[in-house]
């Protein structure tokens, strides 16, 4: 039976906390952005789409550095947050959640957008003919139909946030008990003599959680395709 030390449990629980906060706080924004990209027709739409997906193609260290420049203690936005609101993100677990949210955001937006684009517009039109306004149609028809994609997007973003390393360690470093998540703890374990066993245990946890997330995501995607009539 695999037994974990107090330090390892701290890293595991911190990772779950960071990934959970990152996913929940970015979900409403992801839904809004997905709606804009799926339904909007405006100049600069392609540029917005590119900016949203930029973290997927940039080296994670670059994303972390940009977060440090923007939200660091003396950053463009970080200085205002620290001086006027008392919010400090760099080298805090909240900063790790921000980095994780940024890295998982494109996956969440893409899944929700594809789900929205798969909705039959005639269903929304039918709601309109029955007297429902645009806002009511969105919450009563569009959002429930897009729910499988929303759930899939949230799961993928959670899994991505759970395994995030490059952007996180660049922005908030690896402080035990504060910002040392699973990925950072695995890296730290590989750098010390005799740390292979700890690295293996934490890697096993990461693999199990990620595999569960991917299996659930695939099952929900299949269900969404059946509901939209894309497969028998």
């Amino acid at each position: 039976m695999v037994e974990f030390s107090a330090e390892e449990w701290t890293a595991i629980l911190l990772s779950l906390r960071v990934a959970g906060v990152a996913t929940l706080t970015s979900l409403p924004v992801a839904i809004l952005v997905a709606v804009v990209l799926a339904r909007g027709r405006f100049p600069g739409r392609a540029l917005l789409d590119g900016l949203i997906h930029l973290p997927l193609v940039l080296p994670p260290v670059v994303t972390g550095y940009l977060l440090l420049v923007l939200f660091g203690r003396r950053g463009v936005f970080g200085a205002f947050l620290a001086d006027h609101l008392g919010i400090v993100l760099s080298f805090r677990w909240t900063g790790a959640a921000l980095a994780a949210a940024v890295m998982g955001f494109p996956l969440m937006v893409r899944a929700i957008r594809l789900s929205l684009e798969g909705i039959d517009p005639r269903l929304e039109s039918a709601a309109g003919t029955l007297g429902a306004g645009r806002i009511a149609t969105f919450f009563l028809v569009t959002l429930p139909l897009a729910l499988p994609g929303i759930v899939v997007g949230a799961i993928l973003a959670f899994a991505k946030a759970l395994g995030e390393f490059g952007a996180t360690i660049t922005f908030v470093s690896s402080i035990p008990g504060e910002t040392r998540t699973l990925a950072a703890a695995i890296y730290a374990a590989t750098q010390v003599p005799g740390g292979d066993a700890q690295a293996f245990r934490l890697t096993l946890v990461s693999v199990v959680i990620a595999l569960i997330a991917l299996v659930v995501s695939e099952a929900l995607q299949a269900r969404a395709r059946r509901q939209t009539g894309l497969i028998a």
Side-chain angles (χ1 to χ4, degrees):
M1 180 177 180
V2 179
E3 295 184 2
F4 300 99
S5 66
E7 180 184 354
E8 292 167 346
W9 274 117
T10 298
I12 293 170
L13 295 176
L14 178 62
S15 293
L16 293 173
R17 181 185 187 187
V18 165
V21 170
T23 302
L24 292 177
T25 54
S26 60
L27 183 57
V29 182
I31 294 174
L32 176 61
V33 172
V35 170
V36 170
L37 292 177
R39 303 297 171 82
R41 296 294 181 270
F42 54 90
R45 178 171 171 269
L47 177 60
L48 175 61
D49 187 45
L51 289 174
I52 294 300
H53 290 86
L54 201 56
L56 291 180
V57 295
L58 280 177
V61 174
V62 174
T63 302
Y65 175 73
L66 291 175
L67 287 174
L68 192 60
V69 170
L70 295 174
F71 294 98
R73 186 64 177 78
R74 295 289 84 187
V76 177
F77 303 113
F80 175 83
L81 292 174
D83 296 339
H84 297 279
L85 301 178
I87 299 175
V88 178
L89 296 173
S90 56
F91 308 107
R92 304 283 177 86
W93 77 268
T94 49
L98 174 61
V102 170
M103 295 303 295
F105 191 72
L107 297 175
M108 190 184 299
V109 170
R110 183 168 181 79
I112 299 173
R113 176 185 176 182
L114 291 175
S115 185
L116 288 169
E117 291 175 343
I119 296 175
D120 189 341
R122 291 174 297 181
L123 297 175
E124 296 171 313
S125 299
T129 60
L130 294 175
R134 297 182 65 178
I135 295 179
T137 299
F138 176 77
F139 282 102
L140 297 177
V141 178
T142 307
L143 207 57
L145 290 174
L147 186 58
I150 294 173
V151 174
V152 168
I155 292 173
L156 292 177
F158 178 85
K160 175 65 175 177
L162 196 65
E164 173 50 36
F165 175 70
T168 302
I169 202 168
T170 305
F171 182 38
V172 298
S173 189
S174 176
I175 304 171
E178 181 67 33
T179 64
R180 182 166 291 180
T181 57
L182 263 174
I186 292 171
Y187 177 78
T190 63
Q191 303 305 301
V192 298
D196 291 343
Q198 182 184 44
F200 176 78
R201 288 193 297 271
L202 295 178
T203 298
L204 185 62
V205 172
S206 297
V207 170
V208 170
I209 295 177
L211 185 60
I212 291 173
L214 291 174
V215 170
V216 172
S217 172
E218 184 62 30
L220 289 173
Q221 283 180 320
R223 180 181 178 185
R225 293 191 192 100
R226 287 194 297 269
Q227 289 179 338
T228 55
L230 295 180
I231 62 175

